[in-house]
Every structure is written in C-alpha cells, then in structure tokens.
Amino acid sequence: MSTEERELGWDDEIERDGGEFILLPAGDYHFTVTKFERGRFQGSAKMPPCNQAKLELTVHSQEHGNVVVFHNLLLHTKTEGLLSNFFTGIGQKKKGEKLRMDWNSVIGAKGKLQLEINKFIGNDGQERTNNQVKKFYPYEEAFPQQQGAPMQQGMPQGQPMNQQAPFPTNNTPQQGQGGFTPGQF
C-alpha cells in the first residue's frame, strides 16, 4: 500500500481507517510546523475577507505522543498582534521589530505554545471540544540555550538535546576557506 498522498478516484479502493481524535489537556507544549497552506477567509460580522494562513502544528506530548492541531492565522491589521506572536514564537521576529513575513520558511519551524480546550457546537448540533492555540511563547523563552540561533531549534520536552556547539569553538584559523576565520566578525 502506498503512503503517498494523492487524489482518489470515485471507484478507488480504500483501506486505512481514520486516526483516533486525541484531545490534549490544556497546557504548554513544544511544537513543529508541519504544514502550511495559503487560503482565503470569506469574512464574518467581525472580520472582513482577507488572506488566511492554514497551519498544521505537530504538538509534542510526553503522554500522548505527537498530535496534530490546526491553527489559522488571518492576515489583517486587526490580527497583526497574533501574527507577530506566531513569528516571535518560531524565532523569526524580535519583539518590537518589523518583519516581512516569510511563509516559505515556516514549515519545520519549532517553538512552544500554550493550548486550551475549545468548546463549540458541531454541525450536528452536539457540543464538541478541540484544542486551540492560546498563545505562542517567545522563542528565546522556549529555547533559552539557543538564543540567536532560530535555525538550531530545540527538541520536544524530555528529548535529549544535542549539546554540540553550533559554531566552531577553536580560535585557530581554518585553512582553505578563502581567508574566513570562524568566530571573527
């Protein structure tokens, strides 16, 4: 059986059962952005139509394993603070600084978030619950040992951290590197 994602034909055979829905307890978790899709929000009573970033976040839970949580960000001036919170959380933005949003680099980004339990009424009229992102923690708080190195992002809690230095630590010039000496700026 192929695990490659593809469109199914009307007469194709199917085999896989749906995954079991897991509701994580409210709390703090590390996450990885695993999917990003550009979309369009059609508008509501409180928000005009605008671009929408549809994210899939793989939340790393010690007790439940990896759980996918869907998170949408609306690209509008009314939600600029939420956008800043997300980009600060993945280490691409510093508080108080401007940032040109780079959506092509969000897949694989890591951070730490706070989940809450959201109650809503489903299309069937029944009360349902799901996880919802309450906030993203600043990257420097989530990974204090990795400040200034958002590309060297941390592991989920409880996972061993690779303690290698991100840059060469010897002060001896490396030969054959076109005069580049690591660590000198």
Side-chain angles (χ1 to χ4, degrees), residues 55-150:
L55 302 171
E56 286 186 20
L57 309 175
T58 298
V59 175
H60 309 293
S61 165
Q62 297 232 349
E63 187 178 338
H64 302 283
N66 291 335
V67 176
V68 174
V69 172
F70 300 95
H71 186 66
N72 295 326
L73 289 168
L74 302 179
L75 280 68
H76 193 276
T77 53
K78 288 183 173 184
T79 61
E80 192 171 344
L82 299 172
L83 293 162
S84 286
N85 183 244
F86 170 71
F87 280 103
T88 301
I90 61 172
Q92 289 189 20
K93 183 182 183 302
K94 298 276 186 235
K95 200 168 186 89
E97 293 181 5
K98 286 186 177 184
L99 170 79
R100 180 170 306 279
M101 297 179 290
D102 183 5
W103 294 103
N104 293 324
S105 67
V106 301
I107 294 178
K110 297 179 186 313
K112 188 175 181 180
L113 55 73
Q114 184 179 49
L115 282 184
E116 63 184 1
I117 295 175
N118 177 48
K119 292 183 181 182
F120 64 98
I121 303 297
N123 292 335
D124 59 1
Q126 299 294 313
E127 184 175 287
R128 306 243 182 242
T129 57
N130 65 2
N131 286 120
Q132 188 170 294
V133 176
K134 185 169 185 178
K135 71 177 181 175
F136 295 96
Y137 290 100
Y139 185 82
E140 292 77 19
E141 288 179 25
F143 305 106
Q145 73 281 8
Q146 308 240 341
Q147 273 187 337

